[in-house]
Amino acid sequence: MAQDRLIYLPLGGAGEVGMNCYVYGYGQPGRERLIVVDLGVTFPDMDTTPGVDLIFPDIAWLEARKDRIDGIFITHAHEDHVGAVGHLHDRLEAPIYARAFTSIHARRKMEEQGQNPDKVQTMKPWPDTIRTGPFEVGFLPVSHSIPESSSLVIDTAEGRVIHTGDFKIDYSPGVGEPFDRALWSAVAKEGVRALVCDSTNVFNAHEGRSESTVGPEIRRFVSEQSGTVVATTFASNVARVRTLAMAGIDAGRSVCLLGRAMRRMIESSVEAGVLTDFPSTISPEDAASLPRENLMLIVTGSQGERRAASAQLSRGKYLGLSLDEGDTFLFSSKTIPGNERGVLTIVNALSEKGVDVQDDDGGRYHVSGHANRPDLLAMHELVNPEIVVPMHGEHRHLREHSKLARGNGRQSILAPNGTCVSLSGEQPSVVEHVETGRTYLDGSVQVGALDGVVRDRMRMALNGHAIVSLIIDEDDTPLGEPWVDLKGLPEIGRSGSPLSDVMEHDLDQALQRANDRVILEDDKLDDLMRRVARQTALQEIGRKPEVTVVVSRLS
């Protein structure tokens, strides 16, 4: 009989930033009991996923083995770690474990999707643990840019694994638990088989800065402004939102929070007991009646989201509030790669209003929530694992992190999404490759990346669309000419005639030349009409549209 083994399998988050989903297994090969770490989302863009609402990891592999899943563990409440819980839980059904602050968000997401929120169980931090199947799991507090972030201590008969989740080494984070070196040292003292570790900032050679370092700079900046001050940051960065609010109060301003996500995060922080001294705020209605120099707005939309408060203020009014010349807008955030266009749209719209815009100024008004390269090395030294497995990052981040570990004499293995790794034996090894991908939330329906829905939508967006309709009479002859409806295409082609007229003429000519076999078989008729329509469009406008052929047969 084969020996039991300990496996690690990323289904999302290893080879990309976002959509985190990791699996650990222990037992006989092919029959391992499993736990899942995080069920996150990533966000669409109009270039690659037009019309899509959210993107989830493809959990088909997990769903086929749901009878072997002993638990789902959520490390923290960022969307890329908890955002898919409500959408995917009914396909997995296992109990969900999280700390108090994260549990509030996980339960809400379950309720929003009609799932039972009681499936979410609240855990206390280490040294409390829960035994589930062959695993004993505990939540080890770690500093990050959201309260109650935790690494996971996962114990099996094969040894101890520490899954860092997102982390930084911050001894004064403002809100949430500071990094506790002594606690981590005690946990690692018993020996760690593998450290599965955040790789996001591996290319940043500077030591990470504490959240507390931005406070004085933000207070100074706010105190120097004359008109209304607006600041945006990640709504989940409760410590930063508190810093901004305190800066406004210190400058003699009333503070108003704008954006549902911002208010929800603060309310959840108070409910969970991680935020006890947030200053009083005023309503948008009261804010509208204040002199501009006495007001500070803290708003959502730091990444250029079109429906967030930042974007709406840049376009006009939001909840009765507007910006004007002499006001100041502060981005206390870093633009995530891929969001530059949306952010610049807001910046330019604000500029047109005469609003002065201040970015993060190279880190003066923002610090990252992820460990930089020196902090990753410090974590390696502190934990002293036998194996370092990089996760949470693009492929280049994982590869660089693996090189960093090996360069310091540690075993490491590169495991992007779909790579099933055995952590048993003398050294880690790849034992299987699993098909991974993405699932799109399109309206209220989940569709697979290979279903063709988004691909067809992109083709229509890029090439336009033509609908060709024709009627076949009872004697199997065309009844009149085909007619064409065009969407997203120029009306007039190179010939100077309406494109629809030219296309209908060419389609009619093709029909008259077609033999009986083509007329009688829908597939052949469909193919003929599509080819002619696309060829005509290419000649007239230099583009081949998507074509839908509708054949009505009278009987």
Side-chain angles (χ1 to χ4, degrees):
M1 180 180 291
Q3 290 186 331
D4 290 346
R5 66 180 183 181
L6 173 63
I7 59 170
Y8 160 76
L9 169 64
L11 297 178
E16 65 211 340
V17 176
M19 205 176 73
N20 292 278
C21 180
Y22 309 92
V23 182
Y24 292 89
Y26 184 78
Q28 289 284 300
R31 292 186 290 169
E32 296 92 348
R33 301 301 301 179
L34 308 170
I35 59 172
V36 181
V37 177
D38 292 334
L39 280 175
V41 302
T42 193
F43 297 96
D45 62 74
M46 285 303 295
D47 289 335
T48 60
T49 47
V52 169
D53 296 283
L54 290 172
I55 305 174
F56 312 133
D58 182 353
I59 61 164
W61 186 91
L62 267 179
E63 186 176 13
R65 296 159 177 80
K66 67 180 181 180
D67 60 322
R68 289 159 44 192
I69 301 174
D70 291 314
I72 300 167
F73 294 82
I74 308 298
T75 58
H76 63 285
H78 275 147
E79 287 296 303
D80 61 331
H81 294 259
V82 72
V85 162
H87 295 280
L88 300 182
H89 181 264
D90 61 343
R91 296 170 57 189
L92 303 179
E93 299 180 355
I96 301 167
Y97 302 97
R99 293 185 62 192
F101 178 79
T102 306
S103 289
I104 292 170
H105 295 279
R107 288 193 185 98
R108 187 185 71 247
K109 291 184 179 300
M110 291 285 280
E111 288 174 341
E112 289 172 349
Q113 301 306 316
Q115 304 294 321
N116 182 4
D118 293 338
K119 289 286 187 177
V120 181
Q121 301 182 31
T122 300
M123 292 284 295
K124 293 181 179 179
W126 186 269
D128 277 26
T129 61
I130 185 167
R131 167 69 68 173
T132 178
F135 304 95
E136 188 170 357
V137 184
F139 287 78
L140 181 61
V142 71
S143 44
H144 185 41
S145 55
I146 192 170
E148 289 193 346
S149 294
S150 296
S151 301
L152 295 179
V153 180
I154 304 169
D155 285 326
T156 72
E158 191 72 30
R160 172 166 287 179
V161 174
I162 296 181
H163 180 103
T164 67
D166 295 1
F167 83 97
K168 65 185 293 187
I169 296 178
D170 191 342
Y171 297 103
S172 52
V175 175
E177 297 133 320
F179 187 79
D180 189 337
R181 180 175 287 271
L183 176 61
W184 273 75
S185 181
V187 171
K189 187 176 181 180
E190 299 179 29
V192 175
R193 176 61 177 162
L195 177 70
V196 182
C197 192
D198 182 0
S199 308
T200 311
N201 283 354
V202 67
F203 287 106
N204 192 327
H206 302 288
E207 284 194 11
R209 292 168 50 223
S210 170
E211 178 65 31
S212 62
T213 62
V214 300
E217 294 290 349
I218 289 175
R219 287 195 295 273
R220 177 194 59 76
F221 179 83
V222 173
S223 69
E224 292 174 350
Q225 309 311 312
S226 53
T228 295
V229 175
V230 185
T232 187
T233 189
F234 300 98
S236 59
N237 193 338
V238 174
R240 185 73 49 77
V241 176
R242 177 184 175 277
T243 294
L244 290 166
M246 294 299 293
I249 297 296
D250 291 348
R253 296 172 180 269
S254 295
V255 174
C256 178
L257 301 180
L258 292 181
R260 184 177 62 176
M262 189 80 69
R263 296 192 304 273
R264 184 177 280 172
M265 278 291 173
I266 298 302
E267 291 166 358
S268 299
S269 300
V270 173
E271 181 182 344
V274 299
L275 185 60
T276 58
D277 58 350
F278 196 81
S280 297
T281 60
I282 62 174
S283 68
E285 292 78 15
D286 291 338
S289 64
L290 286 179
R292 308 191 72 79
E293 64 272 15
N294 293 342
L295 179 62
M296 180 169 180
L297 307 176
I298 306 176
V299 304
T300 54
S302 66
Q303 299 305 303
E305 301 92 329
R306 279 190 54 81
R307 290 180 289 182
S310 293
Q312 297 199 52
L313 284 170
S314 75
R315 295 194 295 265
K317 285 191 175 184
Y318 181 64
L319 298 180
L321 297 167
S322 60
L323 302 182
D324 206 346
E325 189 165 354
D327 294 339
T328 302
F329 196 105
L330 170 65
F331 280 88
S332 183
S333 56
K334 184 178 181 180
T335 302
I336 296 171
N339 294 338
E340 295 89 351
R341 184 182 302 176
V343 172
L344 281 174
T345 297
I346 291 174
V347 169
N348 283 312
L350 291 169
S351 181
E352 290 174 8
K353 289 176 172 288
V355 176
D356 294 324
V357 179
Q358 174 63 58
D359 63 16
D360 74 310
D361 194 19
R364 178 178 293 185
Y365 306 114
H366 174 70
V367 294
S368 174
H370 296 271
N372 291 350
R373 191 183 189 93
D375 292 337
L376 292 175
L377 283 171
M379 179 61 85
H380 295 180
E381 293 297 321
L382 179 61
V383 174
N384 193 27
E386 297 175 38
I387 306 164
V388 174
V389 184
M391 58 98 182
H392 199 283
E394 298 169 1
H395 194 279
R396 63 191 181 99
H397 297 110
L398 307 183
R399 186 166 178 264
E400 182 67 17
H401 194 173
S402 190
K403 288 167 61 178
L404 178 68
R406 288 196 298 268
N408 284 276
R410 302 186 188 280
Q411 290 189 79
S412 184
I413 189 166
L414 188 62
N417 292 339
T419 308
C420 185
V421 172
S422 171
L423 299 175
S424 300
E426 294 185 1
Q427 59 185 19
S429 60
V430 176
V431 293
E432 185 181 356
H433 288 282
V434 171
E435 190 72 32
T436 59
R438 299 180 165 208
T439 300
Y440 301 128
L441 179 65
D442 194 45
S444 59
V445 178
Q446 294 182 30
V447 298
L450 300 179
D451 289 356
V453 174
V454 174
R455 179 196 61 211
D456 289 346
R457 188 176 295 152
M458 289 175 64
R459 287 176 174 174
M460 286 188 285
L462 291 170
N463 301 316
H465 188 218
I467 300 176
V468 177
S469 302
L470 67 153
I471 298 175
I472 304 299
D473 207 345
E474 295 175 349
D475 60 358
D476 295 325
T477 59
L479 183 62
E481 297 180 354
W483 67 96
V484 175
D485 293 307
L486 302 177
K487 297 291 183 183
L489 293 168
E491 291 185 7
I492 306 298
R494 290 195 182 108
S495 65
S497 299
L499 175 59
S500 58
D501 289 355
V502 177
M503 196 175 288
E504 286 171 356
H505 176 269
D506 289 352
L507 288 165
D508 184 52
Q509 292 295 307
L511 266 180
Q512 293 183 33
R513 293 192 299 266
N515 60 42
D516 291 344
R517 186 175 180 184
V518 170
I519 300 297
L520 289 171
E521 296 188 30
D522 284 352
D523 289 347
K524 289 184 169 56
L525 190 55
D526 185 286
D527 181 65
L528 174 65
M529 296 292 95
R530 181 178 287 106
R531 284 190 290 106
V532 172
R534 299 188 76 198
Q535 187 61 36
T536 299
L538 182 63
Q539 293 170 353
E540 286 287 308
I541 61 173
R543 184 178 299 280
K544 289 184 175 182
E546 296 301 297
V547 178
T548 300
V549 180
V550 180
V551 179
S552 300
R553 293 185 181 273
L554 302 180
S555 58

